[in-house]
C-alpha cells in the first residue's frame, strides 16, 4: 500500500512540476513482421524538449490465447524517447524523436537492450482538444549505426500509430 501511494505521489508531483500526458495508441507495421500493436505511454514536459516512455505489445500475442491471460502482457517493448516539439498553433504541434529500444520480460524480471547500434526514430503531429485531450498520429522506424558513408542506416520497416490521451 505504501509503495502504491509513493508511486501516485511521484506521478502527482511530476504532473505539478511538468506537463504530464498519458496516452494509448494502436498501430501497424509496414514491412518486417507486419504486426499490429497496442501501446501505452507517458510523456513529461511542456515546451520544446519532452521525454516519453511507450510500451508496445503485438496484438497477435493477445489474440493467440483462447482467454485473456496476463502471460500475453509479460513481454513488452519499452521505448524511452527524447522528443523535440515544434508548436505550430496553440493546439497543434509537430514532433520528432529518437530513443532506445528495450525489451522487457516481466515474468522473469529481465530488461534487455535490443541493440547498442539500433534506435527508434519517430515523426508525428499532435492536436490538443478542450485543453486536456490530445490526439496524435505518428510514423516510426528503426535507424542504426552502420559502416556506410553516412554512418546511419535504416531498417526499411515503418510503423504508423494513432492515439489519444489526457494531458494534466
Amino acid at each position: 500500500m505504501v509503495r502504491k501511494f509513493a508511486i501516485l505521489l511521484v506521478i502527482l508531483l511530476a504532473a505539478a512540476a511538468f506537463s504530464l500526458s498519458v496516452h494509448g495508441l494502436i498501430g501497424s507495421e509496414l514491412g518486417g513482421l507486419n504486426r499490429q500493436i497496442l501501446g501505452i505511454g507517458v510523456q513529461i514536459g511542456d515546451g520544446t524538449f519532452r521525454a516519453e516512455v511507450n510500451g508496445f505489445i503485438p496484438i497477435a500475442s493477445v489474440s493467440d490465447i483462447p482467454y485473456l491471460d496476463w502471460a500475453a502482457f509479460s513481454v513488452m517493448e519499452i521505448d524511452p524517447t527524447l522528443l523535440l516539439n515544434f508548436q505550430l498553433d496553440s493546439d497543434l504541434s509537430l514532433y520528432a524523436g529518437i530513443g532506445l529500444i528495450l525489451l522487457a520480460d516481466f515474468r522473469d524480471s529481465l530488461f534487455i537492450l535490443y541493440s547498442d547500434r539500433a534506435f527508434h526514430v519517430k515523426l508525428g503531429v499532435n492536436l490538443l482538444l478542450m485543453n486536456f485531450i490530445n490526439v496524435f498520429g505518428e510514423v516510426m522506424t528503426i535507424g542504426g549505426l552502420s559502416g556506410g558513408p553516412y554512418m546511419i542506416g535504416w531498417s526499411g520497416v515503418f510503423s504508423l500509430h494513432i492515439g489519444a490521451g489526457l494531458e494534466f
Side-chain angles (χ1 to χ4, degrees):
M1 181 65 179
V2 172
R3 183 177 178 195
K4 290 180 184 178
F5 180 72
I7 290 171
L8 180 62
L9 184 63
V10 167
I11 290 173
L12 290 174
L13 289 174
F18 305 104
S19 173
L20 179 70
S21 172
V22 294
H23 57 267
L25 59 95
I26 189 165
S28 181
E29 287 182 343
L30 304 173
L33 299 175
N34 292 318
R35 301 175 296 177
Q36 283 71 44
I37 57 170
L38 287 174
I40 58 171
V42 175
Q43 187 180 99
I44 295 176
D46 186 24
T48 305
F49 295 103
R50 297 178 182 195
E52 177 178 69
V53 176
N54 287 315
F56 298 106
I57 184 168
I59 293 175
S61 65
V62 176
S63 62
D64 285 346
I65 53 179
Y67 55 91
L68 187 59
D69 184 4
W70 285 106
F73 299 101
S74 66
V75 178
M76 180 180 271
E77 179 182 310
I78 298 176
D79 296 342
T81 306
L82 180 62
L83 299 173
L84 188 59
N85 191 55
F86 304 100
Q87 200 69 35
L88 301 177
D89 190 10
S90 62
D91 298 333
L92 182 67
S93 63
L94 293 175
Y95 60 89
I98 187 167
L100 298 174
I101 306 169
L102 303 173
L103 300 176
D105 184 346
F106 296 112
R107 189 176 330 156
D108 296 331
S109 300
L110 295 173
F111 289 90
I112 303 165
L113 182 63
Y114 175 73
S115 172
D116 62 348
R117 300 182 62 81
F119 48 87
H120 271 152
V121 177
K122 67 168 63 178
L123 296 170
V125 60
N126 187 37
L127 178 63
L128 184 63
L129 304 172
M130 297 184 294
N131 292 326
F132 66 94
I133 298 173
N134 64 343
V135 293
F136 62 91
E138 64 186 23
V139 61
M140 185 169 67
T141 187
I142 298 176
L145 303 176
S146 71
Y150 301 111
M151 301 300 290
I152 296 179
W154 302 101
S155 68
V157 177
F158 291 89
S159 62
L160 298 175
H161 307 149
I162 58 169
L166 298 173
E167 285 198 13
F168 304 101

